[in-house]
Amino acid sequence: MKLLSKAVQSAVSQRDGSRRHFWGWLNAVFNKVDYERIKAIGPDRAAAEWLLRCGAKVRFEGFERWHHDYNGLPTGPLGRYKIQGIDATESCIMHRGFDHLDGLKYVDEIKFNKCIYIEDTCLEKLSSIENLQESLNMLEVVSCGNVTDKGIIALHRLKNLEYLFLSDLPGIKDKQTTASRLQTALPRLDLVLDLE
């Protein structure tokens, strides 16, 4: 009986760690890029599938409503629906999946709120995508604990960025220098810092 009790206690104590490991593994699977799928259905549809699979929402050009149901994605001819907005609030998107963003040409708004996997490499990748450098004009980064000054400064390549809202980012250590560098690189930028 004592042996059974010890086995149960051991299983219970390991369960929390293995549960976290399982969800991390599953999130990595959700973020895997299938380049053949992107070629077959186009970058907007493939990106929408990735984003919704990870718990984000998308808004298509010409629509007011945000789509959050993977099975409710609109159908029609390939290339008909173009992603204009991404709301990744509390989603599991991570750097591994950011190649899905490469072919998007119409995204003008992105929100990263409470995204535990968003880190500097994500923002560096985002700002290196030429199409997004041209189209993106509104970005929010809120409560993403793995973002530091390095990731925020990388956003200077988003030359059409007009509004940037930063809040609850404990990794930002030198907010004045970071803000100054962004304002110098992007003179039209309306930067809102709420990092207290």
Side-chain angles (χ1 to χ4, degrees), residues 53-177:
R53 204 172 38 240
C54 292
K57 296 183 265 187
V58 297
R59 183 174 42 79
F60 293 103
E61 187 177 44
F63 292 84
E64 293 295 317
R65 147 181 124 89
W66 290 87
H67 292 270
H68 57 80
D69 179 11
Y70 184 90
N71 294 319
L73 279 171
T75 57
L78 291 181
R80 178 175 179 197
Y81 297 99
K82 304 292 185 188
I83 296 176
Q84 189 170 18
I86 297 171
D87 182 350
T89 299
E90 296 181 342
S91 71
C92 70
I93 65 171
M94 59 180 65
H95 177 262
R96 178 180 191 164
F98 270 54
D99 282 354
H100 284 102
L101 302 174
D102 280 340
L104 305 183
K105 297 180 180 175
Y106 301 95
V107 177
D108 63 9
E109 171 186 8
I110 297 179
K111 297 177 184 179
F112 297 129
N113 297 323
K114 299 179 185 175
C115 299
I116 62 172
Y117 297 111
I118 294 296
E119 56 193 0
D120 293 342
T121 53
C122 297
L123 299 182
E124 290 166 354
K125 171 66 176 171
L126 179 80
S127 64
S128 70
I129 298 172
E130 290 181 22
N131 291 334
L132 293 179
Q133 290 173 356
E134 299 294 328
S135 68
L136 191 62
N137 62 39
M138 197 286 274
L139 177 64
E140 287 184 13
V141 184
V142 178
S143 300
C144 297
N146 296 318
V147 172
T148 69
D149 303 77
K150 180 182 174 189
I152 298 302
I153 290 170
L155 299 174
H156 77 277
R157 291 180 276 182
L158 297 171
K159 57 187 170 194
N160 285 318
L161 197 61
E162 295 177 6
Y163 178 78
L164 177 61
F165 180 73
L166 305 173
S167 180
D168 188 27
L169 299 172
I172 305 292
K173 301 300 182 199
D174 189 357
K175 63 183 174 186
Q176 288 181 335
T177 302

